[in-house]
Amino acid sequence: MDIYQWSKKYSEITNRYNALYRSAAAHFGFSESGFKILYRLYIARGAATQNRLAEELCLSKQTVNSAVLKLEKAGLIELSKGTAAKNSKFVSLTDKGLSECQHCIDKLIKAESSALEKMDDKQLRQFLELYELQYTILEKEIKRLLLEEE
């Protein structure tokens, strides 16, 4: 398989994954970014700053801020002042948000779990190890490329 065939197949799979989660978000009445934020807060069982959410979810700060404002207006999350920086705000689920996540995120997690159960532990570990290895190698190559371009 050459790089073009690999890239095409990889892109197709990645886009299908993204479409699955986008579809789930829409089904439950959320934007993709709002759903990602709820999912992250729910599985982490704790608060996070908007900057941290942007970093972890690979979303722009503006996108996170916009989604957070909508989720706050809906009463699903609350903002509280952080201690590190003056403008740092922590985002956490409200009781209503927790209840909503139990309704929708738990269903998605059960579907993910059911899918993962179709693979044995060795396959799951191997998948993650190879996925991480490929990312690490590609990250180094892209950093090298960018440095050469400067």
Side-chain angles (χ1 to χ4, degrees), residues 30 38 42 70-78 92-104:
F30 295 104
L38 290 174
Y42 185 67
K70 288 177 186 173
L71 293 170
E72 182 184 33
K73 187 175 181 181
L76 301 175
I77 61 167
E78 59 188 2
S92 58
L93 292 171
T94 61
D95 288 341
K96 180 181 177 183
L98 181 60
S99 177
E100 185 67 26
C101 286
Q102 288 169 338
H103 169 71
C104 61

Side-chain angles (χ1 to χ4, degrees), residues 2-148:
D2 69 21
I3 186 62
Y4 298 103
Q5 293 168 321
W6 184 90
S7 290
K8 181 179 182 290
K9 186 65 176 175
Y10 181 81
S11 292
E12 288 171 359
I13 294 168
T14 301
N15 291 335
R16 290 194 328 250
Y17 261 101
N18 291 336
L20 277 175
Y21 285 92
R22 199 169 26 257
S23 174
H27 173 80
F28 291 113
F30 295 104
S31 69
E32 185 176 5
S33 54
F35 196 69
K36 286 180 178 182
I37 290 167
L38 290 174
Y39 188 102
R40 163 39 183 91
L41 292 172
Y42 185 67
I43 63 170
R45 304 287 186 189
T49 65
Q50 290 187 51
N51 287 340
R52 185 79 180 156
L53 290 170
E55 182 182 305
E56 287 181 13
L57 300 173
C58 297
L59 297 171
S60 72
K61 290 178 184 176
Q62 296 85 353
T63 298
V64 168
N65 187 54
S66 176
V68 162
L69 290 175
K70 288 177 186 173
L71 293 170
E72 182 184 33
K73 187 175 181 181
L76 301 175
I77 61 167
E78 59 188 2
L79 298 173
S80 57
K81 289 203 179 237
T83 55
K86 291 178 184 176
N87 61 350
S88 177
K89 292 183 181 175
F90 281 95
V91 180
S92 58
L93 292 171
T94 61
D95 288 341
K96 180 181 177 183
L98 181 60
S99 177
E100 185 67 26
C101 286
Q102 288 169 338
H103 169 71
C104 61
I105 305 291
D106 267 348
K107 289 179 181 178
L108 183 60
I109 290 171
K110 285 177 185 168
E112 292 168 334
S113 179
S114 178
L116 291 175
E117 287 171 1
K118 309 292 189 274
M119 299 169 72
D120 65 35
D121 194 57
K122 182 180 177 185
Q123 289 172 319
L124 292 172
R125 289 180 190 280
Q126 189 176 34
F127 171 77
L128 291 176
E129 287 171 10
L130 290 172
Y131 198 52
E132 182 70 28
L133 176 62
Q134 193 273 334
Y135 172 82
T136 301
I137 294 168
L138 182 59
E139 179 184 39
K140 287 177 185 174
E141 290 297 318
I142 289 178
K143 284 181 179 179
R144 183 186 54 75
L145 169 73
L146 296 177
L147 283 173
E148 288 174 0

